[in-house]
Amino acid sequence: VFSLDGPQSGPDLYALPADNLAGAEPVRLTAINQALMAERELARYERIEFTGSLGDRVEALVAVPPGWSPEAGPAPLIVSIHGGPMSYDNPAFHFLRQYWAGMGYLVLMVNYHGSISYGEAFCESIRGSWGPVEHGDLEAGVDQLVALGWADPERLFVTGFSQGGIMTNWAVGHTDRFRAAVSEHGM
């Protein structure tokens, strides 16, 4: 039995038969939020890649507002910075990100250098120097969405929790591109 989560479904319990794991389809055991989710139009997640501050590829997720497409023109953008830094953003249901996307914001979640799930070297690349590399990755992600015509460069916002709060503080101390910032538990 295991928990499986998706951006438009939320977590539920699933099971695989213990005697035949190979090729078995998971069986859904719960539908905790199915009725609630069915009543709402939820954001989809898009995966993007760009060149990070150390010259390698960095991955990010973008929560896209329901009904929005690039043809609609640039949308306001919230950069939501994960904590850690040894953590990462995955394509799971997150209430705040869905809420913001439901209000018409793109939500950028950059798995910056120091994040887990990209190998030991990527995770340890900021050892002894937290701040500039991660900030460069975040800026590169914003630049990518502005260049694609997705994000409105006049309506950029930033927020984060824990290390994400520290990086929010770092961002407003190193650039004036963000119209507003919310640092949670940043120091």
Side-chain angles (χ1 to χ4, degrees), residues 37-100:
M37 299 296 192
E39 297 173 0
R40 286 160 176 74
E41 194 174 1
L42 298 170
R44 71 181 192 283
Y45 280 22
E46 295 284 337
R47 181 182 168 276
I48 63 169
E49 281 190 356
F50 46 88
T51 301
S53 58
L54 296 180
D56 52 354
R57 302 304 287 169
V58 173
E59 179 185 57
L61 298 171
V62 182
V64 177
W68 180 87
S69 70
E71 293 77 31
L77 173 70
I78 296 175
V79 180
S80 179
I81 309 170
H82 70 68
M86 293 170 41
S87 183
Y88 72 105
D89 283 313
N90 59 354
F93 182 85
H94 297 278
F95 173 79
L96 275 177
R97 293 165 186 163
Q98 286 290 347
Y99 176 77
W100 294 329

Side-chain angles (χ1 to χ4, degrees), residues 15 17 20 33 46 52 62 72 80 83 88 120 130 153 158 162 164 184 187:
N20 183 20
N33 292 303
E46 295 284 337
V62 182
S80 179
Y88 72 105
E120 186 176 356
W130 286 10
V158 63
S162 188
E184 293 186 70
M187 280 295 216

Side-chain angles (χ1 to χ4, degrees), residues 2 17 53 84-85 89 95 104 106 109 129 150 158 169:
F2 58 96
S53 58
D89 283 313
F95 173 79
L106 291 167
M109 299 158 273
S129 181
W150 289 25
V158 63
N169 298 341

Side-chain angles (χ1 to χ4, degrees), residues 76 98 118 125 127:
Q98 286 290 347
Y118 299 94
S125 63
R127 182 181 296 254

